[in-house]
Amino acid sequence: YLSMLESLTKKNRQIENSITIKDRIKKLKENNEKFTRFGLSIELFSKKFQTAISKLNDTEWNTVEQILDPYISSLELRLDALSSLQKRLQKLEDYLSKFFQNKKIEITATQGIVIKSANDEVLAPEQLSSGEKQMLYLLCRIMVSSYDSSIIIIDEPEISLNIKWQRTFL
């Protein structure tokens, strides 16, 4: 009876551990999408990888889990280190999208800020209005200069901005 109970307890622990690692992999995969969008990370787990680990039996899983745990931990730490940058880029993209109506804003680590027209034509900075250039400059400067305890002073931010944008900017 005791040996059967120990066996069941051991199996339950193994199942709990495998769920934990599998949940961490799932969470990492979902979380990583925010980072790949900006070119800060690559796709972490291919379909082939996911299929391979889903087919593991308990004995194989115990071995693989010991190898995956430090790897998963390192990926979690890497994304944690990039999270501040990812949040800033997301904020910048959101703010720019409020102002640049009928235009798409894409920010990536490799291309920087790309502004596209409604029909997906890439717009050069000189194709933007003076207000759009001013807003792009101001928001980029604010995002680069700001920290949680910063005070940012902007002299005449409304120059080149229409009335609606002046109100939205404030």
Side-chain angles (χ1 to χ4, degrees), residues 10 13 28 36 47 56 62 64 69 71 83 111 116 121 126 129 141-142 154 156 158-159 161 165:
K10 185 178 180 183
R13 273 194 225 121
L28 263 174
T36 55
K47 297 268 186 218
L56 296 175
N62 287 335
V64 170
D69 186 47
Y71 175 66
S83 68
Q111 295 182 312
K116 295 182 179 180
E121 177 187 338
E126 52 273 1
S129 70
R141 290 290 298 168
I142 290 169
I154 303 170
E156 299 182 12
E158 74 283 354
I159 292 179
L161 302 182
W165 280 21

Side-chain angles (χ1 to χ4, degrees), residues 70-82:
Y71 175 66
I72 298 300
S73 295
S74 71
L75 292 175
E76 290 167 337
L77 289 171
R78 186 174 80 185
L79 293 186
D80 283 347
L82 290 170

Side-chain angles (χ1 to χ4, degrees), residues 105-150:
I105 310 300
E106 295 175 3
I107 302 174
T108 64
T110 55
Q111 295 182 312
I113 298 173
V114 177
I115 301 170
K116 295 182 179 180
S117 65
N119 60 357
D120 268 354
E121 177 187 338
V122 175
L123 301 174
E126 52 273 1
Q127 292 176 286
L128 300 175
S129 70
S130 61
E132 289 172 329
K133 289 177 194 174
Q134 177 74 359
M135 188 55 60
L136 181 61
Y137 173 76
L138 285 173
L139 289 174
C140 287
R141 290 290 298 168
I142 290 169
M143 294 308 288
V144 169
S145 303
S146 68
Y147 293 95
D148 292 335
S149 60
S150 295

Side-chain angles (χ1 to χ4, degrees), residues 34-47:
K34 297 184 282 188
F35 295 87
T36 55
R37 233 182 115 226
F38 295 108
L40 299 174
S41 182
I42 59 171
E43 185 179 342
L44 294 179
F45 307 109
S46 67
K47 297 268 186 218

